[in-house]
């Protein structure tokens, strides 16, 4: 199975896409999903602890990902 992951800004540039279909069995934890994403081309550009949203809510790495969840990787942003 694969989980779609939305990418924004510099992450979309790093992976060359706005969405990744990540091959992983679900349910899984966010940490497992990030680990698989890191192994993909462009994944080396992720920081040690990327910001992840599940169903539009920031989550920790131990949160479970289920079939149908909306996953997004949000790069660091600056502004003022």
């Amino acid at each position: 199975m694969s989980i779609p992951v939305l990418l924004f800004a510099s992450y979309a540039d790093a992976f060359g896409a706005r969405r990744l279909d990540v091959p992983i069995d679900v349910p899984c934890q966010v940490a497992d999903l990030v680990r698989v994403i890191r192994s993909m081309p462009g994944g080396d550009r992720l920081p040690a602890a990327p910001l992840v949203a599940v169903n539009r809510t920031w989550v920790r790495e131990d949160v479970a990902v289920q079939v149908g969840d909306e996953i997004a990787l949000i790069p660091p942003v600056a502004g003022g």
Side-chain angles (χ1 to χ4, degrees):
M1 166 160 246
S2 65
I3 294 289
V5 176
L6 304 175
L7 304 171
F8 299 94
S10 62
Y11 292 163
D13 293 340
F15 288 94
R18 292 188 168 275
R19 175 185 151 152
L20 293 176
D21 289 317
V22 181
I24 191 166
D25 292 329
V26 289
C28 66
Q29 289 187 334
V30 167
D32 302 321
L33 185 62
V34 170
R35 193 172 307 112
V36 173
I37 294 170
R38 281 187 200 288
S39 72
M40 300 173 81
D44 59 328
R45 296 178 72 191
L46 292 179
L51 294 174
V52 179
V54 175
N55 299 322
R56 300 181 183 190
T57 301
W58 303 120
V59 297
R60 296 185 329 234
E61 64 180 14
D62 61 345
V63 168
V65 174
Q66 306 291 332
V67 172
D69 284 347
E70 178 185 77
I71 312 299
L73 284 181
I74 310 297
V77 293

